[in-house]
């Protein structure tokens, strides 16, 4: 597999290509895989994003910076960056994963991207990996609107519906399962006027509602 | 307050002493306090320790490195480092905190230490703060024995008692409180033969048992 196109997309050239190869190797392919590099890369990403938020938003408090960061480093954000890099095409996967479309699986893409960050750090140090992460996240950081992204999904959904003069969503408990120490709640968010019904599952009813609202908000924005 | 003794203990001299001053300012003293620096420093500490574990333990898996790191960056470990630096003496605290012994409070010490790491990063960059953290943690890292520290406290306690030919500990549910979405369990660990009784509180019975066992283990090792 020629990795030059990936290096171009990253705007980074490896001195030790072996590190990149390892970052692209899923555990289904080899025992010498990217899991340890992912551990390292995860902490690097957290730190570089912390720094970017610290410098960009001089007046945000600690808790708000934490929430914004969580949005930027969660799996779907990483998956999106990985897809822009076409990272999936460069992965070494075991046969089972290959057949079941592992090169498109969000968790595999997100882990591999973090592993690539770990590999760049080992290859060339902190400033090199900071430059790459800052550049990959430049657009996401520029688009950040703390006012908007820090609102909880239920509030945002309510406001979005009010802006369209539509009736408010309804939340219904659909299921409650698991033993006392591992209880799970499933809540449905229903917007009759738009024929939208989404589900959220969480350890508390409140979390499940917020997740259902977030899913509905996404459908609403795509509609 | 002269900060030279603290700089000597850190083996680091600030180009911009204002950053150190801010890192040492608790929110009870001023709105211009160390909370944002703490956010930054926390992510730096996590990353530097991740790197140290990655390099020191070439065969540890991701999950084990995570567990070891959690032990090194949790509040009591940070408090210990802060006490070695006599960090409490240099803090700016509001009057209420001063009177109630805030300069000895573990959470205040731990937060201030992380803020100091954030300040060093802003003052002189990543390599400078890495050098300071590596040096402050050198002994803790050298003492790490993954075999031992990765065992769960209940197992370790059982083995310690067996080694002394003592009967096994007993665990008793002492309390269950809070609403469904925020349940708390309190479990007591009782070692009759040693007149040891400790308590653990957690979101599940299992966690509470492990915390009670950890506390008992500590008493046993001090006994």
């Amino acid at each position: 597999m020629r990795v030059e196109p990936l290096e171009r997309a990253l705007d980074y050239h490896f001195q030790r290509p072996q590190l990149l190869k390892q970052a692209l190797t899923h555990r289904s392919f080899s025992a010498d895989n990217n899991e340890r590099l992912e551990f390292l890369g995860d902490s690097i990403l957290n730190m570089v994003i912390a720094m970017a938020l610290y410098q960009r938003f001089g007046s945000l408090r600690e808790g708000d910076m934490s929430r914004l960061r969580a949005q930027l480093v969660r799996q779907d954000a990483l998956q999106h960056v990985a897809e822009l890099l076409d990272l999936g095409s460069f992965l070494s996967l075991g046969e089972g994963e290959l057949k079941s479309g592992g090169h498109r699986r969000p968790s595999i893409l997100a882990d591999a991207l973090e592993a690539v960050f770990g590999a760049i750090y080992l290859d060339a140090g902190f400033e090199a990996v900071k430059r790459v992460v800052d550049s990959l996240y430049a657009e996401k950081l520029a688009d950040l609107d703390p006012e908007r992204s820090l609102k909880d999904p239920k509030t945002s959904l309510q406001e979005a519906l009010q802006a369209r003069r539509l009736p408010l969503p309804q939340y219904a408990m659909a299921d409650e399962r698991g033993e006392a120490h591992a209880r799970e709640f499933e809540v449905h968010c229903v917007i009759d006027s738009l024929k939208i019904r989404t589900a959220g599952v969480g350890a508390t009813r409140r979390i499940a509602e917020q997740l259902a609202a977030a899913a509905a908000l996404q459908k609403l924005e795509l509609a």
Side-chain angles (χ1 to χ4, degrees), chain A:
Chain A
M1 170 68 69
R2 295 172 51 86
V3 294
E4 287 81 359
L6 178 58
E7 290 193 325
R8 261 198 305 280
L10 288 167
D11 191 20
Y12 180 78
H13 176 66
F14 275 84
Q15 306 301 310
R16 288 178 284 168
Q18 182 56 36
L19 283 167
L20 176 57
K21 194 175 158 203
Q22 188 174 353
L24 298 171
T25 302
H26 186 252
R27 63 170 177 272
S28 62
F29 186 84
S30 161
D32 194 20
N33 56 51
N34 63 11
E35 289 192 314
R36 282 168 46 85
L37 284 173
E38 179 215 332
F39 170 71
L40 199 53
D42 173 77
S43 71
I44 293 166
L45 177 64
N46 269 289
M47 197 228 136
V48 174
I49 298 293
M51 187 60 207
L53 292 172
Y54 182 93
Q55 294 190 313
R56 188 174 179 81
F57 301 109
S59 63
L60 274 189
R61 298 196 53 178
E62 181 189 7
D64 289 336
M65 289 196 288
S66 279
R67 278 186 283 278
L68 283 182
R69 177 173 61 182
Q71 292 176 18
L72 291 168
V73 304
R74 69 186 187 198
Q75 187 173 291
D76 60 347
L78 283 163
Q79 174 196 0
H80 183 239
V81 174
E83 284 167 352
L84 293 176
L85 295 169
D86 191 21
L87 199 64
S89 311
F90 301 92
L91 296 179
S92 297
L93 298 171
E95 216 165 318
E97 285 293 351
L98 260 183
K99 282 185 185 152
S100 64
H103 58 283
R104 285 189 306 270
R105 199 186 315 287
S107 61
I108 291 181
L109 289 172
D111 291 354
L113 180 62
E114 290 185 328
V116 167
F117 296 151
I120 295 175
Y121 174 73
L122 292 177
D123 196 50
F126 181 74
E127 293 305 323
V129 69
K130 180 172 188 307
R131 189 179 55 76
V132 170
V133 172
D134 279 340
S135 152
L136 291 176
Y137 270 86
E139 207 172 319
K140 284 190 160 50
L141 282 163
D143 285 349
L144 267 192
D145 176 353
E147 283 283 328
R148 186 165 158 277
S149 23
L150 291 174
K151 242 177 228 166
D152 67 281
K154 276 181 76 175
T155 307
S156 301
L157 178 60
Q158 183 178 328
E159 290 175 358
L161 291 171
Q162 280 167 342
R164 292 165 205 221
R165 301 180 183 280
L166 290 170
L168 296 184
Q170 296 192 302
Y171 295 90
M173 179 74 85
D175 193 17
E176 192 181 332
R177 57 197 172 229
E179 292 179 29
H181 64 282
R183 187 79 77 194
E184 259 190 5
F185 299 85
E186 179 173 336
V187 169
H188 289 185
C189 171
V190 184
I191 309 173
D192 273 332
S193 53
L194 297 170
K195 297 201 191 316
I196 287 179
R197 172 184 283 265
T198 56
V201 176
T204 70
R205 184 181 180 140
R206 208 190 89 82
I207 294 173
E209 282 182 357
Q210 295 288 5
L211 291 171
L217 199 57
Q218 207 165 22
K219 280 205 179 178
L220 185 65
E221 283 169 358
L222 294 173

